[in-house]
Amino acid sequence: QVQLVESGGGLVQSGDSLRLSCAASGRTYTSAVMGWFRQTAGKEREVVAVLRWSGGRTAYADSVKGRFTISGDNAKNTVYLQMNSLKPEDTAVYYCAARIRLSGSYVYTDDYDYWGQGTQVTVSS
């Protein structure tokens, strides 16, 4: 199994920045794709950004494109989400996820095999 632990969330003001970290342990070699999702109470968990370990290809939700950057440090088994120009609508619990298979869809919750417990990000206006 893969264990994922998120950190770096907090309370910030609009326009501020945060960097979330996702530390992976266990059978990390089985994870081909890493993703960041977020969820607000009463809403479905949605993809924010994804990273393919091999080659470093990334993709972003339209709502965060240009503001958020996903990156990974393979040696540290850690994935980051740099969040700039934060907006109140970014407020959510952010989850790190790992997908074993490289091919196929990577934008849905069910596409991922392992999940962290989440870290709260709150952006005040």
Side-chain angles (χ1 to χ4, degrees):
Q1 292 191 358
V2 175
Q3 289 75 234
L4 305 174
V5 179
E6 303 97 333
S7 62
L11 174 62
V12 298
Q13 296 183 4
S14 295
D16 285 355
S17 297
L18 280 174
R19 189 174 79 160
L20 305 183
S21 298
C22 173
S25 60
R27 301 174 64 189
T28 57
Y29 61 88
T30 64
S31 299
V33 179
M34 302 297 295
W36 283 100
F37 287 72
R38 65 186 182 187
Q39 185 171 26
T40 302
K43 295 185 177 181
E44 186 176 328
R45 192 172 300 183
E46 63 179 9
V47 66
V48 175
V50 298
L51 167 72
R52 186 176 69 184
W53 278 116
S54 178
R57 186 180 298 274
T58 61
Y60 300 90
D62 289 340
S63 59
V64 306
K65 192 173 299 183
R67 298 188 298 120
F68 291 10
T69 302
I70 187 172
S71 61
D73 187 333
N74 207 321
K76 296 182 178 180
N77 293 317
T78 301
V79 176
Y80 305 97
L81 184 67
Q82 178 66 47
M83 305 185 295
N84 298 326
S85 301
L86 283 163
K87 306 175 181 179
E89 50 263 44
D90 295 319
T91 295
V93 176
Y94 283 72
Y95 296 89
C96 179
R99 172 182 169 86
I100 294 174
R101 293 184 60 83
L102 177 61
S103 61
S105 175
Y106 48 79
V107 299
Y108 300 107
T109 299
D110 290 346
D111 295 329
Y112 291 79
D113 305 288
Y114 302 99
W115 293 86
Q117 77 290 336
T119 184
Q120 177 71 48
V121 172
T122 302
V123 185
S124 63
S125 60

